Amino acid sequence: ETLRDMTVQKEAQEELQRLATRDGLTSVANRRSFDDTLNNEWRRASRESRALSLLMIDVDYFKRFNDTYGHQGGDECLRQVAAAMSRVVKRASDLVARYGGEEFAVILSATDAMGAGIVANRILERVTELAIPHSGGEGGHVSLSIGIATSLPQPDMTREGLITSADAALYKAKHAGRNRFVFDSAAESVA
């Protein structure tokens, strides 16, 4: 009986841990897990003098999607997009996370700008292959905008700066026409 109680308790603890680190809708990492992982990977990249890349990803015209297909349709879209990204990002040290709303982030450890661009292109391809109808989007299907920042962490740099750079690149991608990835200008010099 005691063994059974310990097994049930262990299973309950594992489930709580999963709930604490996973996004309930998409099953990818949540924002808390993102923050923890970025902190750990930043320190590792600094110690090992390795590049660290961050992709900030936004579903294009998502408000229009929700207005047209409803919130349940929007939820299903986010689940499919998250699953597609998870199929591309496979290394155990990398992380796909829901950053907030329709925005996702991908942490790519030991990855330079060129490698991050390859991953971003594959993500765009996988989402295109989903062919999720979007009458309010470009080309009639769901698409993504991706901003990429890469850093070789130095003592005078912060992980918040990496986020800011990736976010700025994301907005450049949106303003350049969406359904694309754009590098932060500083990222190109690290490649």
Side-chain angles (χ1 to χ4, degrees):
E1 188 65 34
T2 302
L3 185 58
R4 186 177 331 190
D5 288 344
M6 288 173 55
T7 301
V8 169
Q9 183 179 4
K10 183 175 188 234
E11 288 172 353
Q13 286 174 336
E14 288 173 356
E15 180 64 12
L16 280 175
Q17 178 63 27
R18 188 189 67 75
L19 291 172
T21 60
R22 292 280 153 210
D23 176 64
L25 177 65
T26 62
S27 297
V28 297
N30 63 17
R31 177 65 185 269
R32 178 181 176 187
S33 183
F34 167 82
D35 290 338
D36 290 345
T37 301
L38 184 60
N39 186 39
N40 293 336
E41 291 303 324
W42 182 266
R43 287 196 316 253
R44 180 181 301 161
S46 180
R47 264 191 328 269
E48 298 175 1
S49 296
R50 295 179 128 185
L52 177 65
S53 290
L54 177 64
L55 280 58
M56 295 299 284
I57 303 167
D58 196 57
V59 179
D60 294 331
Y61 301 111
F62 191 72
K63 183 183 180 330
R64 290 184 195 171
F65 189 93
N66 264 344
D67 291 346
T68 303
Y69 303 100
H71 291 287
Q72 289 181 335
D75 288 352
E76 181 56 28
C77 172
L78 293 177
R79 280 192 285 271
Q80 289 184 45
V81 167
M85 287 189 285
S86 294
R87 285 191 294 273
V88 171
V89 179
K90 298 177 184 176
R91 294 186 312 177
S93 60
D94 296 338
L95 182 82
V96 175
R98 186 167 177 206
Y99 194 74
E102 73 277 6
E103 196 167 33
F104 294 89
V106 176
I107 299 170
L108 299 170
S109 64
T111 304
D112 62 13
M114 179 183 277
I118 291 168
V119 172
N121 191 56
R122 288 180 182 155
I123 288 171
L124 291 175
E125 289 171 351
R126 293 306 166 272
V127 170
T128 298
E129 290 169 2
L130 293 174
I132 301 170
H134 185 353
S135 62
E138 303 289 327
H141 292 95
V142 167
S143 63
L144 304 176
S145 294
I146 303 175
I148 302 171
T150 300
S151 181
L152 189 60
Q154 303 294 316
D156 61 335
M157 302 166 78
T158 65
R159 61 187 177 278
E160 290 79 12
L162 183 66
I163 295 170
T164 300
S165 295
D167 207 39
L170 170 62
Y171 284 96
K172 288 178 189 174
K174 289 176 166 290
H175 291 294
R178 302 179 195 259
N179 194 27
R180 69 191 66 232
F181 64 90
V182 170
F183 292 97
D184 174 63
S185 55
E188 294 163 0
S189 63
V190 177

